[in-house]
Amino acid sequence: MLSIEPEGPRGHPLYVCQVGHRYSTPSLLHSKEMQLERTLWSAAVLLKQMGDAYEQLLKEMSQEDSERKRVQRRIHGVRKQGLAIRAIIESTHAVQ
């Protein structure tokens, strides 16, 4: 949670976090943009790794295994989610 305090003679907003870090509006936005990009990339990598692991699981399963369809659906789902997150990353640009 951030609180907002006025700073200086014009009362520009100063954002203060729970531990006392203080941010101007531009520095707060820069920090949050960087945090968002790291978080999105982390999710994209995690989904890629999950897809790879499910692919390996599918290779290890027999053709008659009743769970194959479920695993194939999950592979499709995590691949689709990964592509969606990559699209968000590629379309999101911080205001300079």
Side-chain angles (χ1 to χ4, degrees), residues 29-92:
L29 289 171
H30 175 75
S31 175
K32 294 302 179 186
E33 290 282 358
M34 299 303 292
Q35 183 180 11
L36 177 60
E37 184 172 358
R38 281 190 308 272
T39 301
L40 289 171
W41 274 115
S42 178
V45 168
L46 177 60
L47 286 164
K48 168 78 169 83
Q49 292 169 345
M50 287 176 62
D52 293 347
Y54 275 117
E55 288 280 357
Q56 184 59 43
L57 176 62
L58 191 62
K59 289 177 188 176
E60 296 170 11
M61 297 173 90
S62 72
Q63 292 295 327
E64 296 79 32
D65 195 318
S66 62
E67 292 293 307
R68 284 185 69 81
K69 291 280 189 210
R70 185 183 65 80
V71 172
Q72 289 170 328
R73 282 193 302 273
R74 187 62 181 138
I75 291 168
H76 177 74
V78 296
R79 297 287 188 224
K80 188 175 177 181
Q81 291 168 337
L83 289 172
I85 289 177
R86 283 181 164 271
I88 291 168
I89 293 167
E90 291 170 6
S91 69
T92 303

